[in-house]
């Protein structure tokens, strides 16, 4: 898998965890775990997508 696919998968999983954490009535510990994993997945997916954009831009020059 290239960086674009990995980044999109991570961001989508992060969004799913975010929606689950916000909509489901859970204990505070579980909600914290869901939201923190959502944050980590979204940030790492965004980094991969930014790297993909950077390499695509450099290769098109």
């Amino acid at each position: 898998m290239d960086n674009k696919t990995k980044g999109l998968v991570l961001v989508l999983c992060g969004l799913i965890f975010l929606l689950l954490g916000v909509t489901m009535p859970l204990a505070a510990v579980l909600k914290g775990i869901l939201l923190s994993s959502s944050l980590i997945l979204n940030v790492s997916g965004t980094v991969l997508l930014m790297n993909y954009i950077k390499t695509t831009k450099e290769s098109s020059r």
Side-chain angles (χ1 to χ4, degrees), residues 9-26:
V9 167
L10 288 175
V11 168
L12 288 175
C13 288
L15 287 175
I16 289 170
F17 282 167
L18 177 65
L19 289 174
L20 285 174
V22 171
T23 58
M24 292 181 64
L26 297 170

Side-chain angles (χ1 to χ4, degrees), residues 48-61:
L48 286 175
L49 288 173
M50 295 302 276
N51 283 338
Y52 170 75
I53 292 170
K54 180 182 171 187
T55 56
T56 304
K57 229 182 198 183
E58 288 175 353
S59 66
S60 67
R61 290 184 189 177

Side-chain angles (χ1 to χ4, degrees), residues 4 31 38 53:
K4 182 175 82 171
K31 192 168 281 219
S38 167
I53 292 170

Side-chain angles (χ1 to χ4, degrees), residues 25-50:
L26 297 170
V29 174
L30 292 177
K31 192 168 281 219
I33 291 171
L34 273 178
L35 294 178
S36 61
S37 62
S38 167
L39 179 70
I40 292 168
L41 287 172
N42 281 323
V43 168
S44 58
T46 303
V47 167
L48 286 175
L49 288 173
M50 295 302 276

